[in-house]
């Protein structure tokens, strides 16, 4: 996972654009140390950016030992796994509730504001779309159609009725940017759809009650490229390491493009995607 340096949104490691604000600047959360030279690499990298060492071998060596099961055990374990997923997964967005990005064709879930592959604005693809949710007969809260138990009170959904809900968006102005959030609206009002697990929360909730993701929108932050510390957007110096934000080079000056098309940081000697050494 990686954090958007502009708005602080957590994105998948393979995202090229922030799914919340469309920015391209990220701070990586998960890192791995190269076994040959000790350089810190992002966990998603295949090759070390300093010496070109294959980082997948290290992961394979640390992988858990496979255990053999017979067919009956496998089926039983899969069933239990699905039950647990449906129990705690909230009202997750199903594949049938996705659309295709009009620019690159990538799958776009209901919660996306921008395509995380090409950065195209995609919120309007789902605007006013009608989706269905199971209404818990005990607590009255909506769950995904695939859920067997209510993700809020854990009651059985075997006799639950389905309810039509409409996808709408609320906008908030944060400084110079406008942030949109996905809501599901029913005759009972609007609920905020968690972009991580799909659980519906009250609009006033600061954190998702199912997965804990922060839902409250804050002013954009500036993330230090040296230590990763969070700073006010108008900071001149990092409050932690005193790195200066004045006259920082642009993204295009900070990157070099490999023959495979992958953009790497200026100081990287090897491509993090294909492992080729940077040409002088």
């Amino acid at each position: 996972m990686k954090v958007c340096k502009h708005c602080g949104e957590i994105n998948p490691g393979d995202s090229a654009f922030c799914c919340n604000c469309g920015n391209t600047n990220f701070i990586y959360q998960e890192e791995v140390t190269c076994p040959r030279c000790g350089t810190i690499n992002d966990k998603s990298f295949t090759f070390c950016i300093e010496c070109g060492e294959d980082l997948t071998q290290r992961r394979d060596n640390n992988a858990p030992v496979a255990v053999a099961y017979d067919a009956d055990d496998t089926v039983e374990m899969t069933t239990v796994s699905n039950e647990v997923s449906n129990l705690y997964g909230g009202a997750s967005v199903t594949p049938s509730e996705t659309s295709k990005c009009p620019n690159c064709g990538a799958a776009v879930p209901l919660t996306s504001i921008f395509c995380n592959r090409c950065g195209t604005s995609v919120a309007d693809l789902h605007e006013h779309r009608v989706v269905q949710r199971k209404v818990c007969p005990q607590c009255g809260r909506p769950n995904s159609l695939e859920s067997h138990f209510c993700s809020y009170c854990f009651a059985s959904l075997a006799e639950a009725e389905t309810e039509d809900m409409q996808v709408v968006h609320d906008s908030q102005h944060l400084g110079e940017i406008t942030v949109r959030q996905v809501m599901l609206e029913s005759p009972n009002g609007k609920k905020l759809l968690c972009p991580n697990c799909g659980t519906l929360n009250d609009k006033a909730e600061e954190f998702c009650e199912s997965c804990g993701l922060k839902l409250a929108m804050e002013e954009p932050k500036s993330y230090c490229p040296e230590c990763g510390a969070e700073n006010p957007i108008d900071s001149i110096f990092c409050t932690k390491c005193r790195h200066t934000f004045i006259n920082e080079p642009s993204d295009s000056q900070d990157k070099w493009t490999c023959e495979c098309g992958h953009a790497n940081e200026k100081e990287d000697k090897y491509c993090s995607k294909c492992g080729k050494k940077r040409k002088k």
Side-chain angles (χ1 to χ4, degrees), residues 51 79 95 98 124 148 158 162 213 224-225:
C51 69
T79 302
T98 61
D124 292 337
H148 299 295
T162 59
L213 180 74
C224 177

Side-chain angles (χ1 to χ4, degrees), residues 99-110:
S99 293
K100 285 188 177 181
C101 172
N103 183 52
C104 69
V108 177
L110 291 179

Side-chain angles (χ1 to χ4, degrees), residues 66-191:
V67 180
Y69 299 96
D70 59 32
D72 293 337
D73 288 340
T74 303
V75 172
E76 184 176 352
M77 291 177 65
T78 302
T79 302
V80 172
S81 175
N82 289 338
E83 290 293 331
V84 173
S85 175
N86 287 329
L87 179 59
Y88 295 104
S92 58
V93 177
T94 62
S96 62
E97 293 179 350
T98 61
S99 293
K100 285 188 177 181
C101 172
N103 183 52
C104 69
V108 177
L110 291 179
T111 54
S112 290
I113 304 298
F114 294 89
C115 175
N116 66 3
R117 178 184 291 179
C118 69
T120 300
S121 178
V122 293
D124 292 337
L125 289 177
H126 296 290
E127 184 73 15
H128 302 306
R129 180 174 180 174
V130 176
V131 296
Q132 290 187 323
R133 293 289 184 265
K134 282 183 180 179
V135 179
C136 175
Q138 178 166 300
C139 70
R141 306 187 75 170
N143 295 263
S144 68
L145 296 182
E146 291 74 21
S147 298
H148 299 295
F149 299 92
C150 178
S151 57
Y152 305 93
C153 70
F154 310 118
S156 173
L157 298 176
E159 299 181 0
E161 297 182 354
T162 59
E163 181 181 83
D164 290 340
M165 306 188 77
Q166 183 179 203
V167 179
V168 295
H169 294 82
D170 271 11
S171 298
Q172 296 186 38
H173 299 285
L174 301 176
E176 298 179 353
I177 67 172
T178 300
V179 178
R180 301 175 73 180
Q181 290 182 299
V182 182
M183 304 277 184
L184 289 188
E185 186 176 30
S186 70
N188 297 322
K190 294 180 181 179
K191 293 286 187 179

Side-chain angles (χ1 to χ4, degrees), residues 12-278:
D14 59 352
S15 296
F17 297 85
C18 175
C19 61
N20 183 54
C21 70
N23 203 268
T24 58
N25 296 328
F26 297 98
I27 292 291
Y28 288 95
Q29 284 190 310
E30 299 175 323
E31 297 174 329
V32 62
T33 302
C34 174
R36 177 194 286 179
C37 67
T39 299
I40 301 298
N41 294 265
D42 178 68
K43 193 174 181 180
S44 64
F45 290 173
T46 303
F47 298 91
C48 176
I49 57 177
E50 178 67 22
C51 69
E53 175 74 3
D54 187 350
L55 300 176
T56 59
Q57 295 180 0
R58 180 177 183 273
R59 297 169 194 158
D60 292 342
N61 292 337
N62 292 336
V65 178
V67 180
Y69 299 96
D70 59 32
D72 293 337
D73 288 340
T74 303
V75 172
E76 184 176 352
M77 291 177 65
T78 302
T79 302
V80 172
S81 175
N82 289 338
E83 290 293 331
V84 173
S85 175
N86 287 329
L87 179 59
Y88 295 104
S92 58
V93 177
T94 62
S96 62
E97 293 179 350
T98 61
S99 293
K100 285 188 177 181
C101 172
N103 183 52
C104 69
V108 177
L110 291 179
T111 54
S112 290
I113 304 298
F114 294 89
C115 175
N116 66 3
R117 178 184 291 179
C118 69
T120 300
S121 178
V122 293
D124 292 337
L125 289 177
H126 296 290
E127 184 73 15
H128 302 306
R129 180 174 180 174
V130 176
V131 296
Q132 290 187 323
R133 293 289 184 265
K134 282 183 180 179
V135 179
C136 175
Q138 178 166 300
C139 70
R141 306 187 75 170
N143 295 263
S144 68
L145 296 182
E146 291 74 21
S147 298
H148 299 295
F149 299 92
C150 178
S151 57
Y152 305 93
C153 70
F154 310 118
S156 173
L157 298 176
E159 299 181 0
E161 297 182 354
T162 59
E163 181 181 83
D164 290 340
M165 306 188 77
Q166 183 179 203
V167 179
V168 295
H169 294 82
D170 271 11
S171 298
Q172 296 186 38
H173 299 285
L174 301 176
E176 298 179 353
I177 67 172
T178 300
V179 178
R180 301 175 73 180
Q181 290 182 299
V182 182
M183 304 277 184
L184 289 188
E185 186 176 30
S186 70
N188 297 322
K190 294 180 181 179
K191 293 286 187 179
L192 179 60
L193 186 62
C194 175
N196 180 53
C197 68
T199 296
L200 293 177
N201 298 266
D202 291 332
K203 293 177 62 176
E205 292 290 343
E206 185 174 359
F207 298 91
C208 175
E209 60 184 63
S210 180
C211 70
L213 180 74
K214 190 165 187 176
L215 301 174
M217 291 296 172
E218 298 179 335
E219 292 287 338
K221 301 293 192 301
S222 176
Y223 288 84
C224 177
E226 292 293 327
C227 67
E230 182 180 275
N231 295 267
I233 193 66
D234 57 353
S235 295
I236 298 177
F237 294 93
C238 174
T239 56
K240 184 176 181 180
C241 71
R242 302 298 294 170
H243 171 80
T244 178
F245 295 110
I246 301 176
N247 297 325
E248 284 192 321
S250 65
D251 290 344
S252 60
Q253 293 173 323
D254 259 351
K255 305 282 185 180
W256 63 272
T257 304
C258 177
E259 294 177 354
C260 70
H262 181 68
N264 298 272
E265 299 298 327
K266 183 173 65 175
E267 64 272 13
D268 297 349
K269 296 179 181 178
Y270 291 82
C271 176
S272 62
K273 183 176 182 181
C274 70
K276 288 185 179 180
K277 188 173 182 178
R278 178 181 183 179

